[in-house]
Amino acid sequence: MSRSNRTDHIRLTSHPVPGAKHAFPIHWDAPDARSRGPIIGTVSRPQDRNVIGSHGGSYAVYRALAVSAGALNPLRRPDLTNTFPAATIGPFPQWSEPNRIVALDPWGHLVAETFRTEITEGADIRPSIAVTRARLDLPEIQAAIAAKRLKPDGNVVHANGSVSVVKIAIDPVWYLPGVAERFGTSETNLRRTLFEQTAGMFPELVTRPDMQVFLPPIGGTTVYLFGDVAKLPDHRTTITCRVHDECNGSDVFGSDICTCRPYLIHGIEECARGAQAGGLGLIVYNRKEGRALGEVTKFLVYNARKRQEDGDAAAAYFERTECVAGVQDARFQQLMPDVIHWLGLRRIDRFLSMSDMKYDALTGQGIEIVERVPIPDELIPADAHVEIAAKKAAGYYSPEAPTAQDLDDTVGRSLEKY
Ligand SMILES: [Zn+2]
């Protein structure tokens, strides 16, 4: 069953069939989904493919395991009945403005409706975005209500302390010419580097210049929206926003070496408050663990920081990362503003982040930021003062910059004291 579409030999898709035309051409900045064309990363109907890579981001590897184990029929198509978005997002002018969005498919949540006919006829077209609704129940929000910082209103914040949100999952879809431009390099160089650094995982990057879209095997983005989504297109709506990069240790487990979870929850509280005041709150959560260097690198850096001669000093914070990883940061904030464009926004009124990299990326992409809101001092965990002092010294937004003395005086816990 699971071998039913296999021939005896492996067919490489690394070169186009001479003279063949794409059945589904992609016109990236087209004004509507049909003229843009569907993104097809199917592995069961190779003749329909118009992108490099396959669906599901990093989970494509687990799909392969499921097929290998005989648990999943590779020909099976998703049944998309009733999966359509639980809130209306767009379309917005930004979706077809040249090079405004290059790292996601703005039409990715609408494919089941837009390409119903093609799907019925057997094309394997899958959504890369899903929009649903949820309630968040967080101990810190309960505490904010108990402390009377936040009042239940029965709409955004409920009597039991839960918070209503629209949540949106977004898989990366890269338009390679646009991605190359964001990084100030040529498409050829970007393709070649992606090919080489994945040890040749996607030969089409270098052999198929006719395919300009890549589904990279990386994590995606989740958006949590607070308030009335119908207000997105109204430019008078006050937007509260935190852009947060994944930190499993703090976000989920409460590890106290950094400010991630406290800042994230502060963001959620501010978003809920903004929505209660008639605005919209927005948490953008990007899967970029450990500055996109991964958790193994991150934990190695923690050890290197804690074991250096003068202890875990703020003054040497970035240096230790660079010693282990070769770079201080690999989060490519250049692509991050796409989700803000996708939501049709041109202004963020309250930006709950101190990161100069995020600020520069957003404003560089034409998004106005009215106010920057630092993390309140009382929310900084015991061992996280090293991180925050080092970041402020490196240019993170802060009402007052730390002095050289502050940096020298800020030293974290040693490995023996855990
Ligand atoms: Zn963290």
Side-chain angles (χ1 to χ4, degrees):
M1 185 67 173
S2 66
R3 296 181 59 86
S4 52
N5 71 329
R6 281 194 183 170
T7 53
D8 288 340
H9 57 280
I10 288 176
R11 185 185 297 166
L12 289 177
T13 53
S14 57
H15 289 82
V17 179
K21 271 185 150 175
H22 283 295
F24 299 98
I26 296 172
H27 305 285
W28 187 257
D29 293 326
D32 61 81
R34 287 210 69 83
S35 46
R36 203 289 310 278
I39 301 292
I40 308 183
T42 181
V43 289
S44 60
R45 291 226 309 191
Q47 70 275 20
D48 290 352
R49 286 174 57 78
N50 59 8
V51 301
I52 302 163
S54 72
H55 294 289
S58 52
Y59 296 102
V61 179
Y62 283 105
R63 195 172 60 233
L65 288 181
V67 172
S68 300
L72 174 65
N73 176 357
L75 292 183
R76 195 189 174 281
R77 301 291 163 77
D79 174 0
L80 297 173
T81 309
N82 286 334
T83 63
F84 61 88
T88 302
I89 308 287
F92 296 114
Q94 285 93 328
W95 293 13
S96 52
E97 288 172 10
N99 278 332
R100 192 65 88 187
I101 294 175
V102 300
L104 60 86
D105 174 8
W107 310 97
H109 53 317
L110 304 173
V111 300
E113 296 158 63
T114 313
F115 300 107
R116 189 186 306 276
T117 313
E118 289 81 355
I119 291 171
T120 310
E121 287 168 1
D124 185 10
I125 305 171
R126 304 187 181 197
S128 61
I129 297 177
V131 183
T132 187
R133 290 180 184 270
R135 293 261 189 111
L136 309 184
D137 194 355
L138 293 154
E140 292 95 332
I141 296 297
Q142 298 285 2
I145 293 168
K148 308 227 182 301
R149 290 202 308 274
L150 205 56
K151 277 200 195 80
D153 63 295
N155 185 28
V156 179
V157 181
H158 298 272
N160 69 354
S162 66
V163 182
S164 284
V165 291
V166 167
K167 62 177 178 181
I168 306 170
I170 304 172
D171 274 344
V173 177
W174 287 5
Y175 177 60
L176 290 169
V179 172
E181 194 180 300
R182 292 275 173 92
F183 284 86
T185 186
S186 68
E187 186 187 340
T188 310
N189 182 49
L190 174 69
R191 283 170 172 268
R192 189 185 169 133
T193 312
L194 285 168
F195 171 73
E196 288 174 350
Q197 293 299 316
T198 55
M201 199 173 187
F202 301 99
E204 294 145 307
L205 284 165
V206 287
T207 62
R208 296 292 303 267
D210 58 313
M211 287 183 174
Q212 295 188 302
V213 174
F214 176 42
L215 307 182
I218 58 173
T221 298
T222 312
V223 173
Y224 287 84
L225 271 166
F226 302 71
D228 181 3
V229 181
K231 290 178 178 173
L232 269 177
D234 184 344
H235 298 307
R236 291 165 302 181
T237 306
T238 301
I239 305 292
T240 303
C241 172
R242 169 154 180 84
V243 175
H244 188 92
D245 293 330
E246 175 180 32
C247 173
N248 183 264
S250 172
D251 294 345
V252 180
F253 290 96
S255 166
D256 78 342
I257 196 169
C258 56
T259 56
C260 299
R261 181 178 170 101
Y263 214 166
L264 174 64
I265 304 287
H266 176 63
I268 291 172
E269 186 180 326
E270 290 294 325
C271 281
R273 201 174 286 121
Q276 287 182 321
L280 274 174
L282 177 62
I283 301 280
V284 177
Y285 191 94
N286 291 312
R287 298 305 176 322
K288 295 182 190 170
E289 178 59 66
R291 297 196 204 126
L293 298 165
E295 207 169 35
V296 170
T297 297
K298 183 181 191 173
F299 290 4
L300 295 174
V301 170
Y302 287 160
N303 281 347
R305 276 171 54 186
K306 300 286 177 187
R307 287 189 179 124
Q308 51 192 338
E309 206 159 299
D310 297 320
D312 184 14
Y317 173 84
F318 284 106
E319 214 179 298
R320 288 285 77 78
T321 305
E322 199 165 345
C323 282
V324 178
V327 288
Q328 291 182 359
D329 202 304
R331 278 179 291 181
F332 51 85
Q333 299 295 356
Q334 291 94 318
L335 303 179
M336 173 272 285
D338 282 26
V339 66
I340 308 293
H341 296 313
W342 180 67
L343 292 166
L345 302 173
R346 302 197 190 265
R347 190 191 68 244
I348 293 169
D349 297 278
R350 304 191 70 225
F351 186 51
L352 305 160
S353 168
M354 293 154 77
S355 165
D356 51 339
M357 287 169 285
K358 290 173 188 165
Y359 177 86
D360 292 346
L362 287 164
T363 54
Q365 281 283 308
I367 292 160
E368 182 194 352
I369 293 178
V370 179
E371 183 196 357
R372 300 165 82 178
V373 184
I375 186 171
D377 278 342
E378 65 272 18
L379 295 183
I380 300 173
D383 203 27
H385 288 276
V386 174
E387 176 208 286
I388 211 79
K391 286 182 169 177
K392 282 180 185 173
Y396 269 48
Y397 172 76
S398 163
E400 77 273 6
T403 63
Q405 191 62 45
D406 290 340
L407 273 184
D408 286 341
D409 292 349
T410 308
V411 177
R413 195 184 293 134
S414 74
L415 280 176
E416 289 69 39
K417 299 222 172 104
Y418 280 88

